[in-house]
Amino acid sequence: TRLQMTFSSRAEIAKNEAAKELFKIMEAKKSNLCLAADVTKSDEILNLAESLGPFICVLKTHVDIVEDFSENFVNSLKALAKKHNFMIMEDRKFADIGNTVALQFSKGIYKISEWCDLVTAHSLPGDGLLKGLKEVIKNKEKIGIFMLTEMSSDGHLMSQDYSNKTMQMIANYSDIVAGIVAQSSQFTENQPELIQLTPGCKLDETGDNLGQKYNTPEFLVKEKGADIAVVGRGIIESKNPVEVAKTYRERLWNSYEERIKY
Ligand code: 6AU
């Protein structure tokens, strides 16, 4: 099954070009750490990208929290992604009709499709959303979508049925879907071409006071099937982000190496 396969063997069978590339980056850098760069100034994001870039495979943004967004910022971030060999994921969580998400993806101030490698979306509106995103992606070389299957937050409304139907929906869009955002390995057991991204990762605490739930790197990779774990505050709010990021990277990668042995 997926859990025993190496990332390099999965690169061979990935159907989405961005997923293929991401598997290769993970293997090359021995990193399955995604940084959630949830800070509100563009310089803070660029500083994180510069100092932590060597240790991560993906830098995840929420571009709508950036107070001083500019085209310059995007160009600098892209340059750092190239320099340190990581991919940029905009965690936009699209959730509207196809026509609207196509506009949100390509227009407005952010023009997300012009700079992201990966982007997140909800399946809630139905597959018209994927059709809309695909209209935009068709002119781009490599963009991969991550579909939300399950969330890390307390009381989310994504039932087993919702998650299963999400998997059915994405089956017809394997060229543009790179993976899923999920909390358990059940959905992609027989789909090693998809990448499981799992948020809610911290070395110690169990949650915040707004419903977020945390697990350790070992538990997420070995028990919950995470291929990539997302870490935000665990790193960016620590006293020494570089040292802490190295620790996350090492513990996540060791967990992956142990996982493929069994
Ligand atoms: O490590 P944290 O709690 O500081 O940050 C977790 C990051 C945030 C969330 O927007 C995101 O992960 N996230 C997602 C994603 C990636 O889509 C899904 C989810 O279920 N839970 C979650 O926290 O940037």
Side-chain angles (χ1 to χ4, degrees):
T1 67
R2 169 176 72 91
L3 299 178
Q4 276 74 51
M5 290 176 68
T6 63
F7 293 142
S8 46
S9 66
R10 291 167 64 189
E12 303 294 318
I13 57 170
K15 294 176 184 154
N16 169 258
E17 288 302 315
K20 206 178 259 298
E21 164 121 20
L22 180 49
F23 276 132
K24 288 182 188 161
I25 290 175
M26 291 159 75
E27 197 75 64
K29 295 176 78 176
K30 294 192 188 303
S31 175
N32 50 345
L33 170 62
C34 165
L35 175 74
D38 293 342
V39 289
T40 56
K41 298 276 192 289
S42 54
D43 275 354
E44 290 178 308
I45 299 179
L46 296 174
N47 289 340
L48 288 171
E50 172 67 8
S51 58
L52 307 182
F55 314 112
I56 61 176
C57 59
V58 176
L59 184 143
K60 191 175 78 59
T61 54
H62 281 296
V63 74
D64 53 357
I65 68 173
V66 177
E67 290 168 356
D68 54 350
F69 179 86
S70 68
E71 215 181 301
N72 254 345
F73 158 63
V74 168
N75 291 335
S76 305
L77 185 60
K78 274 165 79 170
L80 288 170
K82 200 164 177 197
K83 175 179 173 190
H84 295 299
N85 196 26
F86 62 77
M87 291 180 103
I88 303 171
M89 173 185 284
E90 165 53 25
D91 194 2
R92 178 61 181 75
K93 297 194 180 71
F94 292 112
D96 212 321
I97 59 167
N99 184 64
T100 301
V101 296
L103 290 167
Q104 291 171 324
F105 192 22
S106 58
K107 306 287 183 186
I109 294 169
Y110 302 124
K111 299 181 179 53
I112 294 165
S113 64
E114 290 182 11
W115 50 268
C116 78
D117 302 300
L118 308 164
V119 71
T120 54
H122 283 294
S123 55
L124 185 72
D127 80 334
L129 171 143
L130 281 164
K131 286 203 179 86
L133 297 178
K134 190 168 175 161
E135 288 277 295
V136 177
I137 290 176
K138 74 173 182 252
N139 309 316
K140 313 275 160 198
E141 271 176 55
K142 296 180 189 171
I143 290 187
I145 301 170
F146 276 78
M147 292 298 282
L148 275 280
T149 308
E150 276 178 315
M151 293 196 72
S152 60
S153 44
D154 248 340
H156 72 76
L157 301 178
M158 298 173 171
S159 63
Q160 182 75 39
D161 187 48
Y162 179 99
S163 306
N164 291 341
K165 284 180 176 152
T166 300
M167 296 312 296
Q168 286 166 20
M169 184 189 296
I170 65 179
N172 296 321
Y173 295 88
S174 54
D175 55 335
I176 55 167
V177 174
I180 61 170
V181 180
Q183 291 292 318
S184 53
S185 62
Q186 56 176 320
F187 304 108
T188 49
E189 254 164 24
N190 300 311
Q191 278 164 281
E193 69 277 13
L194 294 175
I195 300 173
Q196 181 183 322
L197 182 85
T198 306
C201 184
K202 236 181 183 185
L203 300 178
D204 39 25
E205 279 143 85
T206 57
D208 65 12
N209 56 7
L210 298 172
Q212 176 71 302
K213 291 189 291 192
Y214 290 117
N215 287 115
T216 62
E218 290 76 15
F219 188 75
L220 289 183
V221 173
K222 293 202 272 191
E223 308 298 326
K224 292 185 143 201
D227 292 319
I228 299 176
V230 177
V231 184
R233 286 165 287 177
I235 292 174
I236 61 182
E237 289 184 357
S238 70
K239 287 210 181 79
N240 191 338
V242 172
E243 284 314 307
V244 174
K246 284 185 190 168
T247 303
Y248 275 100
R249 166 178 172 254
E250 191 175 307
R251 284 177 57 171
L252 286 165
W253 190 260
N254 289 345
S255 303
Y256 155 72
E257 290 203 312
E258 278 172 40
R259 185 176 88 182
I260 55 176
K261 276 194 217 139
Y262 298 102

